[in-house]
Amino acid sequence: MRGVVFDGKRVRVVDDLAVRDPGPGEVRVAISAAGLCHSDLSVVDGTIPFPVPVVLGHEGAGVVEAVGAGVTHVAPGDHVALSTLANCGTCADCDRGRPTMCRRAIGRPGRPFTRDGRPLYQFASNSAFAERTVVKAVQAVRVPEDIPLPSAALIGCGVLTGVGAVLNRARVEHGDSVLVIGTGGIGLNVIQGARIAGATRIVAVDANPAKEPVARRFGATDFLTSTQGVKDVLPTGADHAFECVGRVELIRQAIDLLDRHGQAILLGVPPATAEASFLVSSLYLDKSVLGCRYGSSRPQRDIARYAGLYRTGHLLLDELVTRTYPVEDFEKASADAEAGRVARAVLTF
């Protein structure tokens, strides 16, 4: 079968992958579509360290082909969106409703794939850039069949991360002001999350002026090409500032642009050893700096919730899919994503 493999030096689309059958508590899914997220590219450029060789992809949707023993919530033929959280469901964090903090879900990559008899790692417990993948049952969330699978795929990462950061982590309230630095796939979902939450001023910042129309379509009330003009729009600062790029200087700016009692939420991923600085005295105005993993999501609950918001017209998904590419055009999709020509590039099988 086809898949996108990174061997530590280069990325190739291969056609001789194999994946094992699902074991107890697992599901095999025939992938229909998968979004190209910056995290996939960060594995390739080394920003996110990961063992190789690895099958890339982590934002996918498809049709259940087979289930292992004990799986009852999905069945062959069901349409599912996949999460990256292979959480155990039984530890203290899972029991508290914090699956993103499950220690068994982080840093333990499996190797369900083989090529020429050699095992390959699975990225983010998912590897959606393959015609078929095997995931833990908790990662497969049934979605209505009237949601196009290229759109449903984006729920599993971009939407969970961006909208989830607004609703679950920041808990933006009606009437709040929100600053969003970076309007890529994550930033656009932060913007629409803020709109859904009822924020009345949503200021989007991106160095690329061509991104203004789509940012406003998703809910931005203002668009700037640098943070220098934010205080002209929000004289006392923002209630919430989301850094969606992963640059330490922008983290500092997000903190500096907060109003009293404001909070900066960090979503971008800088290099693993990066350090950021800020004025400690500024935090004594009850400001907060919050990390946020995967939108502090509970995927079985949240994916169904966002699917419902899409069906009622509140959540935009189709508009995120700027362009679809056959998986063989991975290189072209990557170039378009890196150049900011697409909100989300989606690979199809």
Side-chain angles (χ1 to χ4, degrees), residues 19 21 42 51 71 98 113 125-126 165 180 221 229 241 294 315 332:
V19 67
D21 291 333
S42 293
V71 178
R98 302 190 306 213
F113 300 97
S125 302
N126 189 308
V180 183
T221 59
Y294 203 41
L315 183 79
K332 170 62 176 171

Side-chain angles (χ1 to χ4, degrees), residues 101 210 283 347:
M101 295 297 103
L283 298 189
L347 302 180

Side-chain angles (χ1 to χ4, degrees), residues 105-135:
I106 302 173
R108 299 186 181 186
R111 294 195 288 181
F113 300 97
T114 56
R115 183 171 183 244
D116 295 328
R118 299 177 181 177
L120 291 85
Y121 286 99
Q122 184 174 41
F123 179 53
S125 302
N126 189 308
S127 290
F129 293 168
E131 286 188 74
R132 292 173 181 82
T133 191
V134 170
V135 298

Side-chain angles (χ1 to χ4, degrees), residues 28-149:
R28 188 175 71 226
V29 178
I31 299 295
S32 175
L36 176 55
C37 175
H38 192 73
S39 294
D40 299 301
L41 302 178
S42 293
V43 173
V44 177
D45 68 21
T47 301
I48 297 178
F50 206 86
V52 294
V54 57
V55 181
L56 296 175
H58 65 285
E59 186 181 68
V63 180
V64 174
E65 274 195 343
V67 300
V71 178
T72 59
H73 74 290
V74 293
D78 285 344
H79 286 203
V80 293
L82 301 182
S83 85
T84 68
L85 284 183
N87 58 294
C88 70
T90 59
C91 69
D93 283 308
C94 286
D95 192 52
R96 294 186 184 112
R98 302 190 306 213
T100 58
M101 295 297 103
C102 176
R103 286 170 172 80
R104 300 185 194 179
I106 302 173
R108 299 186 181 186
R111 294 195 288 181
F113 300 97
T114 56
R115 183 171 183 244
D116 295 328
R118 299 177 181 177
L120 291 85
Y121 286 99
Q122 184 174 41
F123 179 53
S125 302
N126 189 308
S127 290
F129 293 168
E131 286 188 74
R132 292 173 181 82
T133 191
V134 170
V135 298
K136 290 187 66 173
V138 71
Q139 295 176 254
V141 185
R142 189 167 55 230
V143 295
E145 293 188 12
D146 59 356
I147 300 181
L149 287 172

Side-chain angles (χ1 to χ4, degrees), residues 305-328:
R305 178 186 187 186
Y306 300 150
L309 287 171
Y310 166 80
R311 297 177 85 195
T312 59
H314 293 88
L315 183 79
L316 304 181
L317 290 179
D318 302 337
E319 294 81 358
L320 283 169
V321 183
T322 311
R323 183 175 173 183
T324 60
Y325 306 75
V327 69
E328 290 80 6

